[in-house]
PDB file of all heavy atoms in Angstrom:
ATOM      1  N   LEU A1177       0.513  47.273  38.626  1.00 98.00           N
ATOM      2  CA  LEU A1177      -0.773  47.298  37.967  1.00 98.00           C
ATOM      3  C   LEU A1177      -1.780  48.237  38.686  1.00 98.00           C
ATOM      4  O   LEU A1177      -2.981  48.189  38.494  1.00 98.00           O
ATOM      5  CB  LEU A1177      -1.415  45.890  37.855  1.00 98.00           C
ATOM      6  CG  LEU A1177      -0.589  44.863  37.145  1.00 98.00           C
ATOM      7  CD1 LEU A1177      -1.323  43.508  37.095  1.00 98.00           C
ATOM      8  CD2 LEU A1177      -0.166  45.323  35.784  1.00 98.00           C
ATOM      9  N   ALA A1178      -1.255  49.139  39.488  1.00 98.00           N
ATOM     10  CA  ALA A1178      -2.147  50.187  40.075  1.00 98.00           C
ATOM     11  C   ALA A1178      -2.351  51.308  39.080  1.00 98.00           C
ATOM     12  O   ALA A1178      -1.524  51.585  38.239  1.00 98.00           O
ATOM     13  CB  ALA A1178      -1.420  50.688  41.339  1.00 98.00           C
ATOM     14  N   ALA A1179      -3.540  51.936  39.216  1.00 98.00           N
ATOM     15  CA  ALA A1179      -3.867  53.017  38.340  1.00 98.00           C
ATOM     16  C   ALA A1179      -4.460  54.168  39.146  1.00 98.00           C
ATOM     17  O   ALA A1179      -5.111  53.990  40.114  1.00 98.00           O
ATOM     18  CB  ALA A1179      -4.899  52.625  37.276  1.00 98.00           C
ATOM     19  N   VAL A1180      -4.161  55.334  38.681  1.00 98.00           N
ATOM     20  CA  VAL A1180      -4.526  56.631  39.329  1.00 98.00           C
ATOM     21  C   VAL A1180      -5.437  57.423  38.488  1.00 98.00           C
ATOM     22  O   VAL A1180      -5.078  57.775  37.340  1.00 98.00           O
ATOM     23  CB  VAL A1180      -3.320  57.430  39.818  1.00 98.00           C
ATOM     24  CG1 VAL A1180      -3.710  58.710  40.593  1.00 98.00           C
ATOM     25  CG2 VAL A1180      -2.349  56.570  40.619  1.00 98.00           C
ATOM     26  N   SER A1181      -6.540  57.781  38.964  1.00 98.00           N
ATOM     27  CA  SER A1181      -7.561  58.643  38.260  1.00 98.00           C
ATOM     28  C   SER A1181      -7.352  60.070  38.772  1.00 98.00           C
ATOM     29  O   SER A1181      -7.415  60.346  39.993  1.00 98.00           O
ATOM     30  CB  SER A1181      -8.982  58.202  38.462  1.00 98.00           C
ATOM     31  OG  SER A1181      -9.905  59.153  38.069  1.00 98.00           O
ATOM     32  N   VAL A1182      -7.160  61.020  37.841  1.00 98.00           N
ATOM     33  CA  VAL A1182      -6.840  62.414  38.217  1.00 98.00           C
ATOM     34  C   VAL A1182      -7.837  63.317  37.511  1.00 98.00           C
ATOM     35  O   VAL A1182      -8.147  63.132  36.340  1.00 98.00           O
ATOM     36  CB  VAL A1182      -5.392  62.758  37.784  1.00 98.00           C
ATOM     37  CG1 VAL A1182      -5.054  64.244  38.119  1.00 98.00           C
ATOM     38  CG2 VAL A1182      -4.373  61.843  38.442  1.00 98.00           C
ATOM     39  N   ILE A1183      -8.318  64.378  38.186  1.00 97.00           N
ATOM     40  CA  ILE A1183      -9.201  65.336  37.611  1.00 97.00           C
ATOM     41  C   ILE A1183      -8.386  66.076  36.543  1.00 97.00           C
ATOM     42  O   ILE A1183      -7.382  66.773  36.858  1.00 97.00           O
ATOM     43  CB  ILE A1183      -9.779  66.310  38.669  1.00 97.00           C
ATOM     44  CG1 ILE A1183     -10.520  65.536  39.781  1.00 97.00           C
ATOM     45  CG2 ILE A1183     -10.662  67.375  37.994  1.00 97.00           C
ATOM     46  CD1 ILE A1183     -11.708  64.757  39.356  1.00 97.00           C
ATOM     47  N   GLY A1184      -8.864  65.987  35.277  1.00 95.00           N
ATOM     48  CA  GLY A1184      -8.140  66.668  34.212  1.00 95.00           C
ATOM     49  C   GLY A1184      -8.855  67.994  33.786  1.00 95.00           C
ATOM     50  O   GLY A1184      -8.140  68.940  33.352  1.00 95.00           O
ATOM     51  N   ALA A1185     -10.104  68.065  33.962  1.00 95.00           N
ATOM     52  CA  ALA A1185     -10.915  69.285  33.691  1.00 95.00           C
ATOM     53  C   ALA A1185     -12.163  69.246  34.572  1.00 95.00           C
ATOM     54  O   ALA A1185     -12.724  68.182  34.762  1.00 95.00           O
ATOM     55  CB  ALA A1185     -11.288  69.316  32.189  1.00 95.00           C
ATOM     56  N   HIS A1186     -12.495  70.413  35.045  1.00 90.00           N
ATOM     57  CA  HIS A1186     -13.670  70.433  35.920  1.00 90.00           C
ATOM     58  C   HIS A1186     -14.979  70.575  35.153  1.00 90.00           C
ATOM     59  O   HIS A1186     -14.965  71.313  34.098  1.00 90.00           O
ATOM     60  CB  HIS A1186     -13.497  71.635  36.953  1.00 90.00           C
ATOM     61  CG  HIS A1186     -14.628  71.622  37.947  1.00 90.00           C
ATOM     62  ND1 HIS A1186     -14.862  70.680  38.898  1.00 90.00           N
ATOM     63  CD2 HIS A1186     -15.680  72.435  38.054  1.00 90.00           C
ATOM     64  CE1 HIS A1186     -15.896  70.927  39.591  1.00 90.00           C
ATOM     65  NE2 HIS A1186     -16.455  72.010  39.121  1.00 90.00           N
ATOM     66  N   ASP A1187     -15.966  69.870  35.594  1.00 88.00           N
ATOM     67  CA  ASP A1187     -17.330  69.968  35.005  1.00 88.00           C
ATOM     68  C   ASP A1187     -18.307  69.732  36.143  1.00 88.00           C
ATOM     69  O   ASP A1187     -18.205  68.819  36.828  1.00 88.00           O
ATOM     70  CB  ASP A1187     -17.491  68.892  33.910  1.00 88.00           C
ATOM     71  CG  ASP A1187     -18.847  69.018  33.207  1.00 88.00           C
ATOM     72  OD1 ASP A1187     -19.905  68.781  33.849  1.00 88.00           O
ATOM     73  OD2 ASP A1187     -18.854  69.430  32.052  1.00 88.00           O
ATOM     74  N   GLU A1188     -19.285  70.648  36.195  1.00 86.00           N
ATOM     75  CA  GLU A1188     -20.193  70.678  37.258  1.00 86.00           C
ATOM     76  C   GLU A1188     -20.957  69.252  37.471  1.00 86.00           C
ATOM     77  O   GLU A1188     -21.217  68.862  38.561  1.00 86.00           O
ATOM     78  CB  GLU A1188     -21.223  71.715  37.100  1.00 86.00           C
ATOM     79  CG  GLU A1188     -22.286  71.756  38.174  1.00 86.00           C
ATOM     80  CD  GLU A1188     -23.291  72.888  37.896  1.00 86.00           C
ATOM     81  OE1 GLU A1188     -23.197  73.637  36.912  1.00 86.00           O
ATOM     82  OE2 GLU A1188     -24.166  73.055  38.814  1.00 86.00           O
TER      83      GLU A1188
END
Side-chain angles (χ1 to χ4, degrees):
L1177 304 181
V1180 181
S1181 167
V1182 179
I1183 303 298
H1186 183 68
D1187 184 289
E1188 180 179 2

